[in-house]
Amino acid sequence: MKTPSLKPPVALALAGPTASGKTAAALAIAEHWQHQGGIEIISVDSALVYRGMDIGTAKPSQAELAGVPHHLIDIRDPLHAFSAAEFVRDAEQLIIEIGTRGRMPLLVGGTMLYFKALLEGLSDMPPSDPLVRATLHEELNALGLAALYARLHAVDPVTAARLAHADTQRVTRALEVWQLTGKPISSFQTRDASLGPRADIPLISLEPQDRAWLHERIALRFDEMLGAGFLEEVKALRARGDLRSDLPSMRCVGYRQAWEALDKDWPSSELRDKGIFATRQLAKRQITWLRNMPTRHVVAADQAHALAQTIALSQQLLCQ
């Protein structure tokens, strides 16, 4: 269904779970629009921001990056995080700059928190408190993550249901916000629903109807990553000596499993199985996020004419 907009679009957003075909669709849209001012792509991916993390993130190739201008890729060293607030700041500035060049910004990716922050707004959230953070890590070491997750579920079931049980970083952050404010972190991540999402950035969502189709693509892509030297890429990152397994960069799906595989000397089959399983779980969470965005325009990514439908829908949305 086409959602009426009070403002002309300032950008177009393209989202979907991992391995749903976002990169191919984005490049096809860009090719279609090259004679109508052109497209510049803004990456909405919390892993693509990191330099030296190419294989495990399925980063666009050098040819793809050269063919269409891309932004917010390779802008951070893996030692440093990139927050949702920083993404919104940079993306909003890029939308303005690209627009002044007479081009259309195309926001593409699968980091749903970034999309939600840009399209629905960010509320003020307390900064990290070193004392509270240290106390939580002591409890984590003494009691285990399961105990902290159970505590989070008791005080903020909405956030607990959204997070993976093994997501140490986000579980401890949610508990930290609770202890600092007495409010669930979900209350800070939601603005007044009456405002609605931004009407000037329509969202196309690539959502496969057959989960088996997506699972097959996830497995194929993980195998391709392993064949391309993904484990060697992680070994090189570890060899730097300054990276840790608890950093946001190294907790990206795939990298976390590869790091653990190297720590525990897993056979390649175990890394493959756990990496594919974790990627499937990520895709499931991404689809859940998308289904909570009611104004999105859904394209069945596993249908034969999905690419043509995506291009036609982009034209419809941008020319409304």
Side-chain angles (χ1 to χ4, degrees), residues 13-23 26 41-48 57-58 87 106-116 170 203-206 221 253 279 281-290 293:
L14 177 66
T18 185
S20 60
K22 295 185 295 294
T23 297
I41 293 174
I42 301 174
S43 172
V44 189
D45 191 303
S46 60
L48 292 185
T57 62
F87 166 77
L106 177 61
L107 296 134
V108 183
T111 300
M112 302 308 165
L113 178 60
Y114 285 7
F115 273 120
K116 186 175 179 65
R170 290 185 172 87
L203 172 64
I204 298 175
S205 179
L206 300 179
R221 191 167 76 173
V253 166
T279 309
Q281 293 300 107
L282 169 63
K284 182 179 179 180
R285 294 194 299 273
Q286 290 169 317
I287 291 170
T288 299
W289 273 86
L290 286 166
M293 296 179 174

Side-chain angles (χ1 to χ4, degrees), residues 292-311:
N292 288 320
M293 296 179 174
T295 60
R296 75 195 190 285
H297 304 261
V298 178
V299 172
D302 50 342
Q303 299 304 303
H305 303 295
L307 201 58
Q309 185 180 352
T310 303
I311 294 171

Side-chain angles (χ1 to χ4, degrees), residues 18 214-223 226 253-254 257 269-283:
T18 185
L214 186 62
H215 288 179
E216 183 179 345
R217 287 172 61 92
I218 287 171
L220 177 61
R221 191 167 76 173
F222 201 83
D223 285 339
L226 290 173
V253 166
Q257 288 73 35
S269 60
E270 185 169 4
L271 169 58
R272 179 185 184 274
D273 290 345
K274 292 190 175 182
I276 290 173
F277 177 78
T279 309
R280 287 181 177 181
Q281 293 300 107
L282 169 63

Side-chain angles (χ1 to χ4, degrees), residues 240-255:
R240 288 177 33 159
D242 59 345
L243 300 178
R244 308 183 311 275
S245 60
D246 62 341
L247 289 170
S249 58
M250 294 300 102
R251 292 192 62 78
C252 292
V253 166
Y255 289 88

Side-chain angles (χ1 to χ4, degrees), residues 2-304:
K2 182 177 175 180
T3 302
S5 173
L6 298 178
K7 301 178 181 178
V10 297
L12 178 66
L14 177 66
T18 185
S20 60
K22 295 185 295 294
T23 297
L27 294 174
I29 292 172
E31 182 178 2
H32 179 78
W33 282 87
Q34 65 180 341
H35 301 303
Q36 302 181 53
I39 290 280
E40 294 190 28
I41 293 174
I42 301 174
S43 172
V44 189
D45 191 303
S46 60
L48 292 185
V49 300
Y50 295 117
R51 294 185 290 270
M53 294 172 57
D54 303 328
I55 299 172
T57 62
K59 192 170 289 181
S61 68
Q62 289 302 314
E64 290 168 338
L65 293 172
V68 181
H70 284 69
H71 304 276
L72 302 188
I73 293 178
D74 289 339
I75 61 169
R76 281 287 190 280
D77 184 89
L79 192 59
H80 305 295
F82 187 64
S83 70
E86 290 174 305
F87 166 77
V88 171
R89 178 201 66 199
D90 290 354
E92 288 182 338
Q93 182 61 36
L94 283 166
I95 288 171
I96 294 171
E97 293 174 358
I98 294 169
T100 61
R101 290 194 283 271
R103 297 182 168 218
M104 177 59 65
L106 177 61
L107 296 134
V108 183
T111 300
M112 302 308 165
L113 178 60
Y114 285 7
F115 273 120
K116 186 175 179 65
L118 179 66
L119 300 178
E120 300 181 17
L122 273 175
S123 299
D124 291 334
M125 195 178 300
S128 182
D129 182 286
L131 182 59
V132 173
R133 174 69 58 168
T135 301
L136 284 169
H137 277 281
E138 288 175 5
E139 294 176 353
L140 176 65
N141 292 331
L143 305 175
L145 181 57
L148 267 64
Y149 182 87
R151 187 191 308 171
L152 176 62
H153 192 275
V155 299
D156 186 0
V158 173
T159 298
R162 179 171 55 80
L163 297 181
H165 289 226
D167 196 336
T168 305
Q169 178 191 359
R170 290 185 172 87
V171 169
T172 53
R173 174 57 177 159
L175 284 172
E176 179 186 23
V177 170
W178 171 263
Q179 291 184 210
L180 288 171
T181 67
K183 298 178 182 179
I185 195 171
S186 53
S187 70
F188 289 93
Q189 294 172 338
T190 305
R191 70 174 186 172
D192 184 353
S194 67
L195 296 176
R198 290 186 60 163
D200 58 348
I201 305 180
L203 172 64
I204 298 175
S205 179
L206 300 179
E207 299 177 29
Q209 306 305 297
D210 181 2
R211 196 67 60 91
W213 175 88
L214 186 62
H215 288 179
E216 183 179 345
R217 287 172 61 92
I218 287 171
L220 177 61
R221 191 167 76 173
F222 201 83
D223 285 339
E224 289 174 346
M225 289 176 179
L226 290 173
F230 174 45
L231 198 58
E232 287 68 30
E233 180 177 80
V234 178
K235 286 179 181 178
L237 291 165
R238 284 165 61 101
R240 288 177 33 159
D242 59 345
L243 300 178
R244 308 183 311 275
S245 60
D246 62 341
L247 289 170
S249 58
M250 294 300 102
R251 292 192 62 78
C252 292
V253 166
Y255 289 88
R256 179 171 58 191
Q257 288 73 35
W259 191 288
E260 189 174 1
L262 292 169
D263 277 343
K264 298 180 179 179
D265 197 24
W266 288 349
S268 58
S269 60
E270 185 169 4
L271 169 58
R272 179 185 184 274
D273 290 345
K274 292 190 175 182
I276 290 173
F277 177 78
T279 309
R280 287 181 177 181
Q281 293 300 107
L282 169 63
K284 182 179 179 180
R285 294 194 299 273
Q286 290 169 317
I287 291 170
T288 299
W289 273 86
L290 286 166
R291 287 175 177 169
N292 288 320
M293 296 179 174
T295 60
R296 75 195 190 285
H297 304 261
V298 178
V299 172
D302 50 342
Q303 299 304 303

